[in-house]
Amino acid sequence: MEQRSWAPLWAALGGDPALPERVRHVRRGGPAGPLPARLPVAELARSAVAVCALAAAEWAACRTGGAVPAVTVDDGAVATAFTSERHLRVDGRPAAVFAPLSRFWRTGDGRLRTHANYPHHRARLLAALGVPGSAAGGAGEDLVEAVATELAHRRAEEVEELVYRAGGLAVAVRTPGQWAAHPQGAAVAGLPLVGYERLDGTPPPAPYDGDGGPRVLDLTRVIAGPVATRTLALLGADVLRIDAPHLPESADAHADTGFGKRSALLDLGSPSGRRTFEELLAAADVVVTGYRPGALDRFGLSAGELAARRPGLVVAELSAWGGAGTGPWGGRRGFDSLVQAASGIAVAEAGPGGAPGVLPAQALDHGTGYLLAAAVLRSLTGRRRYGGTHRVRLSLARTAHWLLHELPGRTPEPEPAGAPGGHDPAPWLTGADSPLGRLRHALPPVEYEGGPRTWSRPPGHPGADEPVWR
């Protein structure tokens, strides 16, 4: 496999420079692979999976004391996994992806992208715009038309700030150059793609007993963080996802990314909830957080406080815009679609007439998820060998910068998705019975010799498990 794009990433993770030779690449489709785009999306996807699979193979060897097994990165498996939410079927029903008010809009001076998949975000968007219907359950054509009419005479950046102050989600569509000149774009460009550090010299942990793997507290939502923890679950980790009882969650998103995990509800604002969390933390090996930066600090869950209470922990932090302290947007909420719009990706992928475009997958989410899993696995390997408390940090915006400016392979025109030799996902789809119904789902793309080919358990109902370790 060509290593020009991901071998430096492996080196940045502190990986053995000889190990990339263990990776074999199976190429599918035309020059752009099975994820056709102007930007090198296929290269991003295979690179993220390559370092993740190699880190998984290294971790397996570290646990068994054997040699690092050979790794295979198959473009077909990668492309199918990067579009897993589109392939998911629950009793034959396709998953819902975007709500009607999550879309591009024309404004008086350009374009705007909104995200309103969750009811509270939808209500805040409508309230900020003064459009009636904030509490309505649907979003019919009349409501879409009302929002379009309201935005048609406004400035995109004005709406961006107005909706942000109301707790909603909207960003102006910018060119790559405009984003590079924006204070947040400049701040993100100065970050490493994967922030990776060892915080102290805590001694190595005792070996795990029997078949037990590392214990992972999953405090993430939507795609990127859950993809990372879904991957850790594949590799034998005991992953316990914790959600607040009052926060709504997409049942389809949970079904897509809940494989291998257990799911519990815990109110961290209550004394009993805090006690339970501290008991879980005392036996945890990894904590992965993906909420808005700073949102968990009031519960004592900042990286520094977690590390102080649980020496030897691996703390993994995921953000949309770079994290608290990184530019004026570092602490804001965000989603893949918004980062694509703000960073210039939507302009780079523009369609006929200059209409903003999108990537052929939510590649910032999925790519960042596999990079996050790779960093956690490398941290676990380092902890096993040398000890230490470890911290890793990634953001969707920095992954966007990697795609726009650092990966090779940009093309003037994307190959049509239905072109001869286009991607057929069937070989990388399978079925499973679950508490949610009969599922059709994508197989994991992380593959090494002797490793698992699918998860040991399907997803269950959100919050159905007790907040205890196995």
Side-chain angles (χ1 to χ4, degrees):
M1 177 178 177
E2 291 185 12
Q3 299 170 13
R4 57 181 177 170
S5 59
W6 67 269
L9 175 57
W10 178 251
L13 287 168
D16 181 344
L19 288 184
E21 297 298 330
R22 305 291 294 159
V23 180
R24 178 178 72 97
H25 175 211
V26 180
R27 187 175 289 277
R28 310 273 180 181
L35 290 170
R38 292 188 179 89
L39 295 170
V41 178
E43 190 64 24
L44 178 151
R46 69 173 66 101
S47 296
V49 170
V51 294
C52 185
L54 190 55
E58 181 191 39
W59 169 240
C62 181
R63 294 185 68 187
T64 63
V68 176
V71 169
T72 298
V73 177
D74 190 311
D75 277 358
V78 170
T80 305
F82 265 60
T83 51
S84 62
E85 64 274 11
R86 300 181 196 171
H87 301 301
L88 179 70
R89 298 291 183 272
V90 182
D91 288 333
R93 176 186 61 80
V97 180
F98 284 108
L101 296 184
S102 296
R103 60 193 292 171
F104 291 106
W105 307 85
R106 286 188 179 275
T107 63
D109 64 343
R111 302 272 188 164
L112 183 83
R113 177 83 194 206
T114 55
H115 193 287
N117 281 10
Y118 288 107
H120 55 297
H121 291 154
R122 175 184 176 279
R124 292 167 186 171
L125 169 68
L126 294 173
L129 297 177
V131 174
S134 300
E141 288 302 315
D142 289 347
L143 185 54
V144 171
E145 184 176 345
V147 172
T149 299
E150 182 63 32
L151 290 174
H153 66 274
R154 292 179 180 256
R155 294 177 56 251
E157 291 188 22
E158 168 203 330
V159 176
E160 177 181 85
E161 290 303 313
L162 180 69
V163 174
Y164 164 68
R165 289 195 297 271
L169 293 150
V171 298
V173 174
R174 293 173 170 83
T175 67
Q178 288 171 332
W179 180 244
H182 189 281
Q184 191 61 38
V188 166
L191 296 174
L193 178 57
V194 180
Y196 181 71
E197 57 185 323
R198 181 179 172 189
L199 300 177
D200 61 29
T202 301
Y208 301 113
D209 295 329
D211 295 327
R215 289 170 166 170
V216 178
L217 281 172
D218 179 1
L219 303 170
T220 69
R221 291 166 65 79
V222 194
I223 297 178
V227 163
T229 52
R230 181 181 70 182
T231 303
L232 297 174
L234 170 75
L235 303 169
D238 180 8
V239 179
L240 179 61
R241 173 166 165 165
I242 301 294
D243 283 283
H246 65 280
L247 284 179
E249 176 58 310
S250 163
D252 289 342
H254 177 84
D256 180 44
T257 59
F259 285 89
K261 311 176 193 179
R262 292 176 300 118
S263 168
L265 299 178
L266 204 58
D267 181 3
L268 296 179
S270 72
S272 61
R274 287 296 303 277
R275 283 195 300 271
T276 300
F277 183 86
E278 291 303 316
E279 292 168 2
L280 292 169
L281 178 64
D285 299 288
V286 180
V287 176
V288 185
T289 65
Y291 286 76
R292 175 180 56 82
L296 299 176
D297 289 3
R298 68 185 186 277
F299 303 120
L301 302 183
S302 69
E305 290 175 292
L306 288 169
R309 296 205 302 281
R310 176 63 170 150
L313 192 68
V314 176
V315 183
E317 299 171 284
L318 173 70
S319 67
W321 303 105
T326 304
W329 288 16
R332 293 190 179 188
R333 299 177 181 87
F335 292 90
D336 180 305
S337 59
L338 299 180
V339 177
Q340 286 191 40
S343 66
I345 290 173
V347 172
E349 295 289 339
V358 296
L359 299 177
Q362 293 193 70
L364 305 182
D365 264 331
H366 287 273
T368 306
Y370 288 108
L371 292 178
L372 183 64
V376 169
L377 290 164
R378 288 251 58 247
S379 296
L380 287 170
T381 297
R383 190 183 77 140
R384 171 68 70 88
R385 290 173 175 167
Y386 314 114
T389 303
H390 297 251
R391 182 185 189 187
V392 298
R393 286 175 283 182
L394 290 95
S395 72
L396 303 184
R398 185 57 181 84
T399 302
H401 183 84
W402 183 41
L403 175 64
L404 280 161
H405 302 292
E406 297 172 358
L407 281 167
R410 182 166 179 161
T411 57
E413 294 293 334
E415 296 177 79
H423 178 53
D424 176 8
W428 299 280
L429 296 174
T430 191
D433 291 318
S434 80
L436 307 175
R438 179 67 182 174
L439 302 180
R440 188 193 77 175
H441 65 92
L443 287 166
V446 173
E447 181 181 353
Y448 60 88
E449 187 176 347
R453 286 303 301 127
T454 193
W455 292 273
S456 60
R457 56 177 285 165
H461 291 285
D465 298 295
E466 292 298 317
V468 295
W469 295 118
R470 283 201 301 250

